[in-house]
Amino acid sequence: MKTLLIGEYREGKLLDSTYELLGFAGQLGAETAMLLVGSDSQLPACGGTLYLADASQCGEYNPDLHKQLILDAVQKENPDYVVFLHSSYGWDLAPRVAAKLRVAQVSEVIGLAEGGFEVGCCNAKMRRTVKPATPKAVITIQAGAFAPQQPGGNPSVQKVTASVMSNVTFTGYEPAEAKDVDLTRAEVIVTAGRGVGKKENVPVIAALAKALGGELGASRPVVDAGWVEHSHQVGTTGQTVSPKLYIACGVSGAIQHLAGMKKSDFIVAINKDKDAPIGEVADVLVVADVLQFVPALTAKL
Amino acid sequence: MLIVVCIKQVPDTTQVQIDPVTNTLVREGIPFIVNPYDTHALEEALRLKDRFGYRVAALSMGPPNAEATLKKALALGVDRAILLSDRVFGGADTLATSNVLAAAIRKLHDEFDRVGLVLCGKQTIDGDTAQVGPGIASRLNFRQLTLVDRIVNLDSVGRKIRVSRKLEGRHEIVETPLPAMLTVVRELNRPRYPKVPLRLAAAEATVEVWNNQVLKLDEQNIGLKGSPTWVSKIFSPERAKGEILGDGIAEPAAATRMLIDRLLSKDLLAL
Ligand SMILES: Cc1cc2nc3c(=O)[nH]c(=O)nc-3n(C[C@H](O)[C@H](O)[C@H](O)COP(=O)(O)OP(=O)(O)OC[C@H]3O[C@@H](n4cnc5c(N)ncnc54)[C@H](O)[C@@H]3O)c2cc1C
Ligand SMILES: Cc1cc2nc3c(=O)[nH]c(=O)nc-3n(C[C@H](O)[C@H](O)[C@H](O)COP(=O)(O)OP(=O)(O)OC[C@H]3O[C@@H](n4cnc5c(N)ncnc54)[C@H](O)[C@@H]3O)c2cc1C
């Protein structure tokens, strides 16, 4: 079995998540080749063929051109699977490639299943097994679902280029509004739920987040009450996050909240109710009053 | 110019339950809603209609009861609402779905008004594949702009559009000639509520139904037969209930110690 992995490079850097593609291929037991629109000063540490296009010429994102580079590599490698990360890059590019190759696509794969792939559905509440029936398939993998694999070594680089007239003109980036926090990138999130009681108590939770080097999250009622900015909200109407550590303080665990955080690697719930539904997804539950427990915890860190 | 909005009727996934015995979705009694992202696509189309006088058509492929979804679109002010419904469309995956939607858009373009924009949600809340919009774009050979959170400018004379795309931690501004297909995120706008006169008019207006005698598609490319993706089973993820650490109420200090030890053992304290 063979995979063509589509590496990711952004703002002059090879993204670490590229190694998650190798983790996926490793689990499949597949041979790999990679295509990267990046730079030869930022090569991934792995063996195998690397089709490398120069981002300074091809643009970090130029969909028609990148699609052509991928199609050219598919022609050479004849892979069973073309694998992207389910990032904004893969989101946009993968279906273009699938449509051009006229093959099935499976989006946001979280695991392997007998004869197919496991993916989330119904707002991540359910899972399903999906099987592509075309000889090739395009896959996107969910961020964080496959442990990164960094085999080391040097790829054998083949420089590639393509000339395609682009129909989309890139005119620039705008930074996200300054007040936006990008919780999706945070490794630690400490969330304040309604259980914190009032706005004046939010700094207690924020202090724990700071002590752990993380970001402050919030449940929806906390945002609706104006205690915390909306950009911190976790859940179906906020952000979907999957940090390494998620600490929910005084959050009951409503399904809309769980949908936004249950893929976190390790979940700690602090709640005075030992039967709060958050316990269903938490790895550990501390039954305590947040206003007593959290400051005590912060003080010990 | 015509703007086509694709809307899907979906079960309200916040209310979806899992049958504990069969471990499958319980469908009975679950209310249907318009896919939330699609309400933002619809709102944007209506804003462009208000501003530039374009016409708007709403399309949905689904069973006969999806008519309710299209009635809502009529109540909000779309000019035409078309339900693509036929037994042979059933069991479609994303590829077969895009084939049917693209064919209907082509028909509107040929017989009604020149299509300049197709608006879709960024994904649905039931299938969540995010493939249908791009599938339509490539079938129609329209430009594709995904994850749009703002239309910066629509130049109807020069026939081009400039949008902001919501990416990780930043926005990308891109411009492309029309016709284009956009998939939209919730930040785009706040959907309106139907006004009474429109709601009354909508009760009168009819949803058109197109079956395959109208679209005349090859049965190899639609429905179950035209679907290369098989969904074999749906189940709920399992996870053991969390372990309770100590007694944080009687002995908070001991509980903090236990939690810190646990985080240390998982290598989670020096991130
Ligand atoms: C369409 C829709 C979208 C939604 N989107 C979101 C979303 O994106 N994000 C979101 O979070 N919610 C969302 N909600 C709301 C969601 O349904 C819940 O109402 C919400 O998550 C509850 O927030 P909470 O857990 O902070 O509050 P509550 O449910 O009120 O829970 C408070 C918890 O704190 C505990 N507690 C109280 N006092 C203390 C104390 N002193 N010490 C320790 N524990 C204490 C209680 O035992 C309880 O478990 C949405 C709802 C709808 C209908
Ligand atoms: C639980 C579940 C799991 C499924 N898994 C898969 C799968 O893995 N692979 C697969 O190929 N199919 C799958 N399907 C079938 C899939 O839902 C249908 O093919 C569907 O018509 C389109 O896919 P989507 O819901 O993922 O839409 P998306 O691609 O996520 O939808 C994006 C946008 O396209 C438009 N759109 C989508 N469907 C319609 C429609 N019927 N009418 C009008 N506009 C529409 C809307 O604007 C929507 O916001 C699944 C269905 C369910 C209910």
Side-chain angles (χ1 to χ4, degrees):
Chain A
M1 194 186 298
K2 194 180 221 178
T3 53
L4 175 67
L5 310 177
I6 313 302
E8 230 174 282
Y9 178 89
R10 191 183 299 157
E11 291 169 72
K13 274 215 178 98
L14 176 74
L15 297 192
D16 284 342
S17 48
T18 299
Y19 294 106
E20 295 177 21
L21 296 165
L22 288 160
F24 170 81
Q27 279 198 25
L28 263 181
E31 269 181 72
T32 62
M34 191 182 286
L35 175 109
L36 178 70
V37 183
S39 137
D40 50 15
S41 65
Q42 296 256 335
L43 293 180
C46 61
T49 305
L50 174 70
Y51 297 96
L52 180 70
D54 187 349
S56 62
Q57 279 164 25
C58 300
E60 287 188 11
Y61 192 60
N62 177 340
D64 299 300
L65 186 73
H66 289 208
K67 179 176 91 179
Q68 193 54 49
L69 291 166
I70 294 167
L71 294 173
D72 291 347
V74 167
Q75 185 105 66
K76 287 190 204 134
E77 292 289 328
N78 195 26
D80 300 281
Y81 298 119
V82 183
V83 191
F84 296 80
L85 291 158
H86 196 74
S87 58
S88 62
Y89 183 74
W91 186 294
D92 190 80
L93 207 46
R96 296 176 192 261
V97 172
K100 191 71 197 175
L101 294 173
R102 302 199 149 268
V103 301
Q105 177 185 333
V106 185
S107 306
E108 218 175 349
V109 168
I110 52 182
L112 303 182
E114 213 174 306
F117 301 98
E118 199 173 305
V119 301
C121 65
C122 293
N123 244 337
K125 187 168 175 175
M126 304 283 287
R127 302 238 171 120
R128 64 183 191 268
T129 317
V130 181
K131 203 169 149 182
T134 47
K136 285 187 180 29
V138 168
I139 309 286
T140 68
I141 62 169
Q142 188 183 75
F146 293 88
Q149 228 175 58
Q150 194 163 335
N154 293 308
S156 71
V157 175
Q158 287 195 26
K159 297 222 165 157
V160 289
T161 177
S163 59
V164 174
M165 274 292 288
S166 180
N167 277 309
V168 177
T169 323
F170 170 78
T171 66
Y173 286 130
E174 267 180 12
E177 296 76 67
K179 64 176 182 340
D180 264 18
V181 272
D182 187 3
L183 292 181
T184 60
R185 287 191 189 187
E187 294 203 293
V188 178
I189 296 173
V190 183
T191 291
R194 185 145 54 188
V196 305
K198 53 181 185 211
K199 187 172 186 174
E200 290 66 34
N201 294 336
V202 171
V204 171
I205 311 297
L208 176 59
K210 186 149 184 267
L212 290 166
E215 297 283 356
L216 176 69
S219 71
R220 178 164 161 175
V222 165
V223 170
D224 287 350
W227 301 352
V228 174
E229 293 269 349
H230 179 259
S231 58
H232 293 263
Q233 185 177 316
V234 174
T236 51
T237 45
Q239 300 192 55
T240 302
V241 300
S242 51
K244 295 212 166 83
L245 174 61
Y246 189 92
I247 305 187
C249 306
V251 174
S252 61
I255 189 76
Q256 296 89 353
H257 190 82
L258 300 186
M261 47 62 75
K262 68 181 178 190
K263 292 169 201 153
S264 308
D265 290 351
F266 194 81
I267 299 171
V268 177
I270 303 169
N271 199 302
K272 65 179 185 190
D273 174 7
K274 73 169 179 30
D275 293 321
I278 188 87
E280 308 268 335
V281 301
D283 293 280
V284 299
L285 174 65
V286 180
V287 181
D289 184 328
V290 282
L291 298 177
Q292 278 180 355
F293 183 81
V294 172
L297 179 63
T298 311
K300 285 204 182 132
L301 292 171
Chain B
M1 185 170 100
L2 180 66
I3 303 178
V4 177
V5 189
C6 296
I7 58 181
K8 186 183 180 190
Q9 171 175 290
V10 296
D12 183 349
T13 52
T14 59
Q15 297 193 37
V16 165
Q17 297 296 327
I18 297 141
D19 183 323
V21 181
T22 59
N23 210 14
T24 53
L25 231 54
V26 181
R27 291 176 190 271
E28 289 87 68
I30 302 296
F32 282 101
I33 57 172
V34 183
N35 180 41
Y37 298 101
D38 303 354
T39 62
H40 296 271
L42 187 56
E43 173 62 31
E44 201 64 22
L46 294 170
R47 287 186 187 188
L48 294 171
K49 174 183 159 99
D50 293 346
R51 222 170 115 203
F52 299 104
Y54 301 139
R55 290 193 280 193
V56 177
L59 285 186
S60 186
M61 182 182 96
N65 71 11
E67 192 192 359
T69 289
L70 288 163
K71 280 266 184 196
K72 284 182 200 155
L74 283 168
L76 289 167
V78 303
D79 300 281
R80 288 181 72 173
I82 302 161
L83 174 63
L84 309 169
S85 193
D86 193 314
R87 284 193 162 246
V88 297
F89 297 159
D93 71 353
T94 60
L95 208 72
T97 302
S98 344
N99 272 335
V100 172
L101 290 168
I105 294 167
R106 209 175 282 126
K107 187 174 165 69
L108 282 168
H109 180 85
D110 292 343
E111 297 171 10
F112 181 54
D113 194 356
R114 182 165 72 157
V115 176
L117 271 183
V118 173
L119 300 181
C120 291
K122 79 162 185 147
Q123 68 182 93
T124 60
I125 59 167
D126 62 339
D128 9 14
T129 67
Q131 296 169 14
V132 171
I136 294 171
S138 60
R139 245 149 236 116
L140 295 175
N141 209 11
F142 279 23
R143 308 290 83 74
Q144 167 187 325
L145 299 168
T146 50
L147 304 172
V148 170
D149 69 351
R150 186 162 49 102
I151 295 183
V152 180
N153 189 31
L154 179 63
D155 173 356
S156 51
V157 181
R159 287 185 56 80
K160 44 185 191 188
I161 188 166
R162 178 184 286 232
V163 303
S164 158
R165 298 181 59 228
K166 186 180 179 232
L167 310 183
E168 295 86 354
R170 67 206 200 286
H171 300 268
E172 182 189 76
I173 312 293
V174 288
E175 187 173 276
T176 189
L178 300 178
M181 186 290 308
L182 276 53
T183 77
V184 310
V185 300
R186 291 180 194 249
E187 289 84 343
L188 184 66
N189 55 41
R190 256 174 201 277
R192 66 189 69 185
Y193 292 102
K195 295 199 181 81
V196 176
L198 277 173
R199 215 156 57 199
L200 294 176
E204 302 285 300
T206 43
V207 171
E208 301 161 63
V209 181
W210 289 1
N211 58 18
N212 202 37
Q213 277 166 358
V214 179
L215 290 182
K216 299 190 180 64
L217 290 163
D218 183 341
E219 290 194 14
Q220 294 306 317
N221 296 327
I222 57 177
L224 205 53
K225 278 193 203 152
S227 295
T229 326
W230 301 336
V231 180
S232 47
K233 68 170 179 187
I234 298 187
F235 55 100
S236 64
E238 281 175 28
R239 194 161 173 168
K241 213 174 152 86
E243 172 195 351
I244 296 184
L245 278 192
D247 183 344
I249 290 176
E251 296 176 76
T256 55
R257 199 60 266 162
M258 288 175 81
L259 180 57
I260 288 172
D261 287 346
R262 179 61 61 91
L263 296 180
L264 280 172
S265 75
K266 295 268 170 196
D267 207 12
L268 287 168
L269 275 192
L271 293 174

